[in-house]
Amino acid sequence: MKKIFSILLLTISISAFAQNKGKALLQEVSAKVKSYDNIAIDFKYILENTSENIKQETRGDVVMQGEKYRLNILGITRLFDGKTTYSISPEDEEVTISSDNTDEEDNITPSKMLSFYEDGYTYAMDIEQNIKGRKVQYVKLTPIDSNSEIKHILLGIDKQTKHIYNLIQIGKNGTKTTLTVNSFKTNEPLSKSLFTFDANKYKEYYINKLD
């Protein structure tokens, strides 16, 4: 019984150490991100579900400044000015306008992409990999909310720059989404109108106001 208790105590201690170490690393990442005035990222996005025989791969880019962002993906520009979201589709000649809905659960929006992990998860250090000459340390995030549709997330951190290298999200439905950062630029000179929706440019578009 003494031996079992000792093993149990050791297991709990190792688990707590791994959690604290994982959280400390993510706090470093968060502090680094918050020190920048703005961030511009080019990325690759893959969605897979082997049981449904689904695999979609695309590229995109996003510029973020505080809560504001401008995201280009799948031919659609999504613009958030801090209060309102504008989804602009040139193919459909349509603009969808909605109020801020970034607080929806399990919704990792661009403005949350580099800070979503700060609340609502337990942390554990995972594997370290050497990827294209860089050391990437993975931290496993498990949602505290048992009703979450997310099973777990693996967040890959470049150990040298303390920037996020990739994000691998595993859903309870078997869907795996992977976002890999191709380029990460900071404090770029930005146009004052970058996050502003100019209605004059879309006079011929159908305007769909959701609320």
Side-chain angles (χ1 to χ4, degrees), residues 105-134:
E105 287 186 28
D106 295 340
N107 187 19
I108 300 177
T109 61
S111 52
K112 283 184 181 178
M113 191 169 72
L114 301 176
S115 62
F116 74 92
Y117 50 79
E118 293 176 345
D119 297 298
Y121 296 90
T122 59
Y123 313 94
M125 294 294 274
D126 207 88
I127 63 170
E128 180 183 305
Q129 288 186 331
N130 195 317
I131 302 174
K132 297 177 182 177
R134 67 176 80 182

Side-chain angles (χ1 to χ4, degrees), residues 118-205:
E118 293 176 345
D119 297 298
Y121 296 90
T122 59
Y123 313 94
M125 294 294 274
D126 207 88
I127 63 170
E128 180 183 305
Q129 288 186 331
N130 195 317
I131 302 174
K132 297 177 182 177
R134 67 176 80 182
K135 288 184 178 180
V136 177
Q137 173 65 58
Y138 284 91
V139 180
K140 186 176 182 179
L141 286 71
T142 304
I144 294 170
D145 181 5
S146 58
N147 294 320
S148 171
E149 293 179 7
I150 298 171
K151 186 178 179 182
H152 66 260
I153 294 171
L154 286 170
L155 203 57
I157 309 299
D158 185 316
K159 291 185 75 174
Q160 183 178 355
T161 63
K162 295 296 188 295
H163 291 162
I164 293 174
Y165 169 72
N166 68 351
L167 180 154
I168 303 166
Q169 179 176 298
I170 309 296
K172 288 180 179 176
N173 63 355
T175 299
K176 175 183 176 183
T177 55
T178 305
L179 189 150
T180 303
V181 174
N182 293 323
S183 73
F184 191 108
K185 298 176 182 177
T186 61
N187 299 337
E188 295 279 283
L190 303 180
S191 163
K192 290 182 180 179
S193 61
L194 185 65
F195 306 109
T196 303
F197 176 72
D198 185 353
N200 291 322
K201 291 181 179 179
Y202 306 100
K203 288 179 180 178
E204 304 299 319
Y205 282 39

